Amino acid sequence: MRTYGAGSGEPASPTTGDVLPPTVSTATGTEGRSRSIDIEPFPSSRRLVVAAERAGRRMAAMHALVELDVTTSRNLLTTSDRPMSFTAFVVASVARAAAAHPDAHAYRDWRGRLVRHQHVDVTTLVEVATEHGPFALPHVLRDADTRDVRDLTAELRAVKADHSVTGTGRMLDHFGTTLTRVPGLVEAMYAVLARSVRLRQRTGTIAVTAVGMFGAAGGFGIAPLTLMPLQVVVGGMTWRPRVVDGRIEAREVLDLTVTFDHNVIDGAPAARFMADLRRLIENAELLRTDDDEQA
């Protein structure tokens, strides 16, 4: 019988010192499985995410996880003569609710004063193609509270088709990922953005993100607050039983996560914001025409 032990002349484990049998090696692993390790530079796009999360550490996240019946809105979006974006519909609805409840997206400036915007600019991420691969480009939809879903849809599709039409896209083309490699630059930039009222006029106060990672299944996406005091994550959609007019029906239900900064808003006003948002989305108020309302 062949034995393994100290002094046997067999290869030893680099971590435990135990002698390994011939079928196991540090190079191939059990039964010839490769145990190679890939090491590459940290992606520049992720540096932006890390810096944004650090900028949001001063905020006290308060999450609302809600299920919304979007059967009506989905039907109206898909049967329109020109199909519209569901993300654009959510952006428009969130912006209308925020305009009615300015405390929901208020924040504190560098002197600790409370700042409320009487207009609503919403930042969303548009995945664009670059020479380094897909990149989640932040794009600000200006005055989203006064624009219709069709207009917002057209803008998002234009950015998707050609990211150079937006300022952040042109910056991406000009600088690429160079700026993210300068030590401390991105962190300093976000620290200033978090407290500057003037720069907030450019970046907006609300973020709407469609995670798109749940596929055909439901699920909530919970993300930490970054620069925005109000953050909305569009999660999964599935068909679920719901009671409609006393009958059980299959309805399309959206999982939506809304995160507030508890430093500037309490639960009661946040609940009133959520009530208005639910009404806007479930009743598809921004998609209905005069004929729909009369019917």
Side-chain angles (χ1 to χ4, degrees), residues 48-59 61 123 190 193-194 200 205-207 209 223-231 259 261:
L48 295 172
V49 175
V50 172
E53 290 177 353
R54 288 176 178 172
R57 287 178 180 175
R58 294 172 178 243
M59 298 184 186
T123 294
Y190 275 111
L193 285 173
R200 285 280 188 168
T205 55
I206 300 173
T209 305
L225 284 171
T226 53
L227 290 175
M228 307 303 174
L230 179 61
Q231 184 165 280
T259 304
D261 181 6

mmCIF file of all heavy atoms in Angstrom, residues 48-59 61 123 190 193-194 200 205-207 209 223-231 259 261:
data_model
loop_
_atom_site.group_PDB
_atom_site.id
_atom_site.type_symbol
_atom_site.label_atom_id
_atom_site.label_comp_id
_atom_site.label_asym_id
_atom_site.label_seq_id
_atom_site.Cartn_x
_atom_site.Cartn_y
_atom_site.Cartn_z
ATOM 1 N N LEU A 48 -16.868 54.430 -10.432
ATOM 2 C CA LEU A 48 -17.894 55.463 -10.307
ATOM 3 C C LEU A 48 -18.983 55.028 -9.332
ATOM 4 O O LEU A 48 -19.464 55.824 -8.531
ATOM 5 C CB LEU A 48 -18.499 55.750 -11.679
ATOM 6 C CG LEU A 48 -17.562 56.356 -12.725
ATOM 7 C CD1 LEU A 48 -18.246 56.406 -14.081
ATOM 8 C CD2 LEU A 48 -17.111 57.742 -12.311
ATOM 9 N N VAL A 49 -19.364 53.753 -9.396
ATOM 10 C CA VAL A 49 -20.395 53.240 -8.498
ATOM 11 C C VAL A 49 -19.920 53.281 -7.050
ATOM 12 O O VAL A 49 -20.651 53.701 -6.151
ATOM 13 C CB VAL A 49 -20.789 51.804 -8.903
ATOM 14 C CG1 VAL A 49 -21.776 51.218 -7.898
ATOM 15 C CG2 VAL A 49 -21.378 51.783 -10.304
ATOM 16 N N VAL A 50 -18.686 52.839 -6.810
ATOM 17 C CA VAL A 50 -18.136 52.831 -5.454
ATOM 18 C C VAL A 50 -18.090 54.247 -4.887
ATOM 19 O O VAL A 50 -18.469 54.490 -3.732
ATOM 20 C CB VAL A 50 -16.739 52.189 -5.445
ATOM 21 C CG1 VAL A 50 -16.078 52.361 -4.082
ATOM 22 C CG2 VAL A 50 -16.828 50.704 -5.801
ATOM 23 N N ALA A 51 -17.645 55.196 -5.711
ATOM 24 C CA ALA A 51 -17.555 56.581 -5.248
ATOM 25 C C ALA A 51 -18.935 57.149 -4.946
ATOM 26 O O ALA A 51 -19.128 57.883 -3.968
ATOM 27 C CB ALA A 51 -16.849 57.442 -6.296
ATOM 28 N N ALA A 52 -19.934 56.806 -5.770
ATOM 29 C CA ALA A 52 -21.295 57.293 -5.535
ATOM 30 C C ALA A 52 -21.861 56.728 -4.239
ATOM 31 O O ALA A 52 -22.535 57.439 -3.482
ATOM 32 C CB ALA A 52 -22.184 56.921 -6.715
ATOM 33 N N GLU A 53 -21.595 55.462 -3.962
ATOM 34 C CA GLU A 53 -22.093 54.853 -2.723
ATOM 35 C C GLU A 53 -21.444 55.496 -1.502
ATOM 36 O O GLU A 53 -22.096 55.704 -0.476
ATOM 37 C CB GLU A 53 -21.828 53.353 -2.742
ATOM 38 C CG GLU A 53 -22.684 52.600 -3.750
ATOM 39 C CD GLU A 53 -22.358 51.126 -3.791
ATOM 40 O OE1 GLU A 53 -21.376 50.723 -3.130
ATOM 41 O OE2 GLU A 53 -23.085 50.377 -4.471
ATOM 42 N N ARG A 54 -20.169 55.827 -1.612
ATOM 43 C CA ARG A 54 -19.496 56.496 -0.493
ATOM 44 C C ARG A 54 -20.086 57.872 -0.248
ATOM 45 O O ARG A 54 -20.216 58.306 0.894
ATOM 46 C CB ARG A 54 -18.000 56.605 -0.785
ATOM 47 C CG ARG A 54 -17.261 55.266 -0.698
ATOM 48 C CD ARG A 54 -15.808 55.419 -1.098
ATOM 49 N NE ARG A 54 -15.086 54.156 -0.960
ATOM 50 C CZ ARG A 54 -13.845 53.963 -1.374
ATOM 51 N NH1 ARG A 54 -13.181 54.945 -1.969
ATOM 52 N NH2 ARG A 54 -13.276 52.788 -1.211
ATOM 53 N N ALA A 55 -20.470 58.549 -1.325
ATOM 54 C CA ALA A 55 -21.058 59.882 -1.179
ATOM 55 C C ALA A 55 -22.405 59.826 -0.475
ATOM 56 O O ALA A 55 -22.834 60.793 0.154
ATOM 57 C CB ALA A 55 -21.205 60.537 -2.544
ATOM 58 N N GLY A 56 -23.090 58.691 -0.567
ATOM 59 C CA GLY A 56 -24.408 58.571 0.040
ATOM 60 C C GLY A 56 -24.415 58.050 1.457
ATOM 61 O O GLY A 56 -25.485 57.834 2.034
ATOM 62 N N ARG A 57 -23.234 57.858 2.047
ATOM 63 C CA ARG A 57 -23.187 57.288 3.399
ATOM 64 C C ARG A 57 -23.785 58.205 4.453
ATOM 65 O O ARG A 57 -24.203 57.746 5.517
ATOM 66 C CB ARG A 57 -21.730 56.977 3.764
ATOM 67 C CG ARG A 57 -21.166 55.763 3.032
ATOM 68 C CD ARG A 57 -19.729 55.527 3.395
ATOM 69 N NE ARG A 57 -19.182 54.358 2.704
ATOM 70 C CZ ARG A 57 -17.908 53.984 2.778
ATOM 71 N NH1 ARG A 57 -17.048 54.694 3.510
ATOM 72 N NH2 ARG A 57 -17.497 52.920 2.120
ATOM 73 N N ARG A 58 -23.862 59.508 4.186
ATOM 74 C CA ARG A 58 -24.438 60.437 5.165
ATOM 75 C C ARG A 58 -25.952 60.319 5.236
ATOM 76 O O ARG A 58 -26.575 60.792 6.180
ATOM 77 C CB ARG A 58 -24.065 61.882 4.804
ATOM 78 C CG ARG A 58 -22.578 62.182 4.928
ATOM 79 C CD ARG A 58 -22.278 63.560 4.375
ATOM 80 N NE ARG A 58 -20.860 63.882 4.518
ATOM 81 C CZ ARG A 58 -20.379 64.867 5.245
ATOM 82 N NH1 ARG A 58 -21.225 65.639 5.915
ATOM 83 N NH2 ARG A 58 -19.091 65.108 5.321
ATOM 84 N N MET A 59 -26.548 59.713 4.220
ATOM 85 C CA MET A 59 -28.008 59.611 4.181
ATOM 86 C C MET A 59 -28.475 58.398 4.983
ATOM 87 O O MET A 59 -27.768 57.395 5.090
ATOM 88 C CB MET A 59 -28.478 59.494 2.727
ATOM 89 C CG MET A 59 -28.122 60.692 1.870
ATOM 90 S SD MET A 59 -28.804 60.534 0.207
ATOM 91 C CE MET A 59 -28.064 61.978 -0.590
ATOM 92 N N ALA A 61 -31.072 55.651 4.851
ATOM 93 C CA ALA A 61 -31.975 55.042 3.881
ATOM 94 C C ALA A 61 -33.245 54.520 4.550
ATOM 95 O O ALA A 61 -33.191 53.818 5.563
ATOM 96 C CB ALA A 61 -31.262 53.916 3.145
ATOM 97 N N THR A 123 -32.500 61.358 -13.043
ATOM 98 C CA THR A 123 -31.375 60.661 -13.661
ATOM 99 C C THR A 123 -31.704 59.184 -13.802
ATOM 100 O O THR A 123 -32.188 58.553 -12.861
ATOM 101 C CB THR A 123 -30.097 60.824 -12.813
ATOM 102 O OG1 THR A 123 -29.701 62.194 -12.827
ATOM 103 C CG2 THR A 123 -28.958 59.979 -13.378
ATOM 104 N N TYR A 190 -17.718 63.458 -6.433
ATOM 105 C CA TYR A 190 -19.002 63.085 -5.843
ATOM 106 C C TYR A 190 -19.236 63.793 -4.517
ATOM 107 O O TYR A 190 -20.381 64.113 -4.169
ATOM 108 C CB TYR A 190 -19.076 61.574 -5.658
ATOM 109 C CG TYR A 190 -19.539 60.850 -6.890
ATOM 110 C CD1 TYR A 190 -18.680 60.045 -7.617
ATOM 111 C CD2 TYR A 190 -20.850 60.968 -7.336
ATOM 112 C CE1 TYR A 190 -19.105 59.371 -8.757
ATOM 113 C CE2 TYR A 190 -21.292 60.307 -8.460
ATOM 114 C CZ TYR A 190 -20.413 59.514 -9.165
ATOM 115 O OH TYR A 190 -20.843 58.853 -10.283
ATOM 116 N N LEU A 193 -20.558 67.107 -5.506
ATOM 117 C CA LEU A 193 -21.908 66.975 -6.056
ATOM 118 C C LEU A 193 -22.950 66.780 -4.969
ATOM 119 O O LEU A 193 -24.079 67.264 -5.076
ATOM 120 C CB LEU A 193 -21.955 65.795 -7.028
ATOM 121 C CG LEU A 193 -21.311 65.988 -8.406
ATOM 122 C CD1 LEU A 193 -21.296 64.663 -9.162
ATOM 123 C CD2 LEU A 193 -22.046 67.043 -9.213
ATOM 124 N N ALA A 194 -22.571 66.067 -3.905
ATOM 125 C CA ALA A 194 -23.529 65.742 -2.856
ATOM 126 C C ALA A 194 -24.003 66.967 -2.096
ATOM 127 O O ALA A 194 -25.090 66.949 -1.507
ATOM 128 C CB ALA A 194 -22.899 64.739 -1.882
ATOM 129 N N ARG A 200 -26.295 70.335 -8.368
ATOM 130 C CA ARG A 200 -27.520 69.545 -8.326
ATOM 131 C C ARG A 200 -28.471 69.952 -9.448
ATOM 132 O O ARG A 200 -29.286 69.160 -9.916
ATOM 133 C CB ARG A 200 -28.229 69.727 -6.989
ATOM 134 C CG ARG A 200 -27.580 69.007 -5.853
ATOM 135 C CD ARG A 200 -27.941 67.552 -5.858
ATOM 136 N NE ARG A 200 -27.465 66.885 -4.662
ATOM 137 C CZ ARG A 200 -27.824 65.681 -4.289
ATOM 138 N NH1 ARG A 200 -28.673 65.010 -5.034
ATOM 139 N NH2 ARG A 200 -27.340 65.139 -3.199
ATOM 140 N N THR A 205 -32.291 65.303 -8.777
ATOM 141 C CA THR A 205 -32.469 64.911 -7.374
ATOM 142 C C THR A 205 -33.115 63.537 -7.218
ATOM 143 O O THR A 205 -33.320 63.082 -6.102
ATOM 144 C CB THR A 205 -33.348 65.949 -6.647
ATOM 145 O OG1 THR A 205 -34.581 66.096 -7.367
ATOM 146 C CG2 THR A 205 -32.646 67.297 -6.554
ATOM 147 N N ILE A 206 -33.446 62.889 -8.324
ATOM 148 C CA ILE A 206 -34.106 61.580 -8.281
ATOM 149 C C ILE A 206 -33.394 60.632 -9.236
ATOM 150 O O ILE A 206 -32.989 61.025 -10.339
ATOM 151 C CB ILE A 206 -35.593 61.689 -8.675
ATOM 152 C CG1 ILE A 206 -36.338 62.628 -7.717
ATOM 153 C CG2 ILE A 206 -36.267 60.321 -8.691
ATOM 154 C CD1 ILE A 206 -37.768 62.916 -8.132
ATOM 155 N N ALA A 207 -33.242 59.398 -8.807
ATOM 156 C CA ALA A 207 -32.682 58.357 -9.670
ATOM 157 C C ALA A 207 -33.722 57.265 -9.869
ATOM 158 O O ALA A 207 -34.327 56.794 -8.908
ATOM 159 C CB ALA A 207 -31.408 57.770 -9.060
ATOM 160 N N THR A 209 -33.921 53.528 -11.655
ATOM 161 C CA THR A 209 -33.104 52.468 -12.245
ATOM 162 C C THR A 209 -33.961 51.250 -12.528
ATOM 163 O O THR A 209 -34.680 50.775 -11.651
ATOM 164 C CB THR A 209 -31.959 52.064 -11.284
ATOM 165 O OG1 THR A 209 -31.212 53.225 -10.939
ATOM 166 C CG2 THR A 209 -31.045 51.045 -11.929
ATOM 167 N N ALA A 223 -31.074 49.075 -3.430
ATOM 168 C CA ALA A 223 -29.769 49.681 -3.663
ATOM 169 C C ALA A 223 -29.518 50.760 -2.619
ATOM 170 O O ALA A 223 -30.458 51.411 -2.149
ATOM 171 C CB ALA A 223 -29.702 50.286 -5.063
ATOM 172 N N PRO A 224 -28.264 50.973 -2.234
ATOM 173 C CA PRO A 224 -27.970 52.039 -1.271
ATOM 174 C C PRO A 224 -28.161 53.409 -1.896
ATOM 175 O O PRO A 224 -28.040 53.560 -3.124
ATOM 176 C CB PRO A 224 -26.490 51.789 -0.923
ATOM 177 C CG PRO A 224 -25.935 51.117 -2.136
ATOM 178 C CD PRO A 224 -27.047 50.255 -2.670
ATOM 179 N N LEU A 225 -28.496 54.391 -1.073
ATOM 180 C CA LEU A 225 -28.583 55.764 -1.568
ATOM 181 C C LEU A 225 -27.211 56.234 -2.021
ATOM 182 O O LEU A 225 -26.186 55.912 -1.410
ATOM 183 C CB LEU A 225 -29.120 56.684 -0.480
ATOM 184 C CG LEU A 225 -30.620 56.610 -0.206
ATOM 185 C CD1 LEU A 225 -30.970 57.408 1.035
ATOM 186 C CD2 LEU A 225 -31.417 57.129 -1.400
ATOM 187 N N THR A 226 -27.191 56.967 -3.115
ATOM 188 C CA THR A 226 -25.932 57.525 -3.616
ATOM 189 C C THR A 226 -26.015 59.047 -3.498
ATOM 190 O O THR A 226 -26.025 59.581 -2.413
ATOM 191 C CB THR A 226 -25.702 57.063 -5.056
ATOM 192 O OG1 THR A 226 -26.860 57.382 -5.858
ATOM 193 C CG2 THR A 226 -25.481 55.555 -5.106
ATOM 194 N N LEU A 227 -26.078 59.725 -4.620
ATOM 195 C CA LEU A 227 -26.209 61.179 -4.568
ATOM 196 C C LEU A 227 -27.653 61.622 -4.404
ATOM 197 O O LEU A 227 -27.922 62.710 -3.912
ATOM 198 C CB LEU A 227 -25.659 61.792 -5.864
ATOM 199 C CG LEU A 227 -24.157 61.739 -6.069
ATOM 200 C CD1 LEU A 227 -23.805 62.275 -7.440
ATOM 201 C CD2 LEU A 227 -23.446 62.546 -5.006
ATOM 202 N N MET A 228 -28.578 60.781 -4.840
ATOM 203 C CA MET A 228 -29.967 61.209 -4.928
ATOM 204 C C MET A 228 -30.730 60.920 -3.629
ATOM 205 O O MET A 228 -30.677 59.802 -3.117
ATOM 206 C CB MET A 228 -30.659 60.494 -6.087
ATOM 207 C CG MET A 228 -29.939 60.620 -7.417
ATOM 208 S SD MET A 228 -29.714 62.354 -7.897
ATOM 209 C CE MET A 228 -28.719 62.152 -9.363
ATOM 210 N N PRO A 229 -31.461 61.903 -3.110
ATOM 211 C CA PRO A 229 -32.239 61.672 -1.887
ATOM 212 C C PRO A 229 -33.477 60.816 -2.115
ATOM 213 O O PRO A 229 -34.088 60.343 -1.157
ATOM 214 C CB PRO A 229 -32.626 63.088 -1.451
ATOM 215 C CG PRO A 229 -32.616 63.883 -2.715
ATOM 216 C CD PRO A 229 -31.535 63.305 -3.566
ATOM 217 N N LEU A 230 -33.856 60.615 -3.391
ATOM 218 C CA LEU A 230 -34.989 59.749 -3.717
ATOM 219 C C LEU A 230 -34.544 58.807 -4.830
ATOM 220 O O LEU A 230 -34.111 59.250 -5.893
ATOM 221 C CB LEU A 230 -36.193 60.570 -4.176
ATOM 222 C CG LEU A 230 -37.446 59.773 -4.569
ATOM 223 C CD1 LEU A 230 -37.971 58.963 -3.387
ATOM 224 C CD2 LEU A 230 -38.531 60.699 -5.105
ATOM 225 N N GLN A 231 -34.654 57.526 -4.559
ATOM 226 C CA GLN A 231 -34.182 56.528 -5.510
ATOM 227 C C GLN A 231 -35.264 55.480 -5.726
ATOM 228 O O GLN A 231 -35.829 54.958 -4.767
ATOM 229 C CB GLN A 231 -32.909 55.864 -4.987
ATOM 230 C CG GLN A 231 -32.267 54.881 -5.940
ATOM 231 C CD GLN A 231 -30.848 54.558 -5.509
ATOM 232 O OE1 GLN A 231 -29.913 55.309 -5.741
ATOM 233 N NE2 GLN A 231 -30.686 53.431 -4.855
ATOM 234 N N THR A 259 -36.622 54.390 -2.178
ATOM 235 C CA THR A 259 -35.756 54.680 -1.033
ATOM 236 C C THR A 259 -35.691 56.185 -0.803
ATOM 237 O O THR A 259 -35.380 56.949 -1.723
ATOM 238 C CB THR A 259 -34.339 54.115 -1.262
ATOM 239 O OG1 THR A 259 -34.427 52.722 -1.532
ATOM 240 C CG2 THR A 259 -33.470 54.329 -0.030
ATOM 241 N N ASP A 261 -34.406 59.508 1.873
ATOM 242 C CA ASP A 261 -33.428 59.905 2.878
ATOM 243 C C ASP A 261 -34.195 60.297 4.138
ATOM 244 O O ASP A 261 -34.850 61.335 4.183
ATOM 245 C CB ASP A 261 -32.575 61.073 2.367
ATOM 246 C CG ASP A 261 -31.524 61.506 3.374
ATOM 247 O OD1 ASP A 261 -31.369 60.828 4.417
ATOM 248 O OD2 ASP A 261 -30.841 62.523 3.128
#
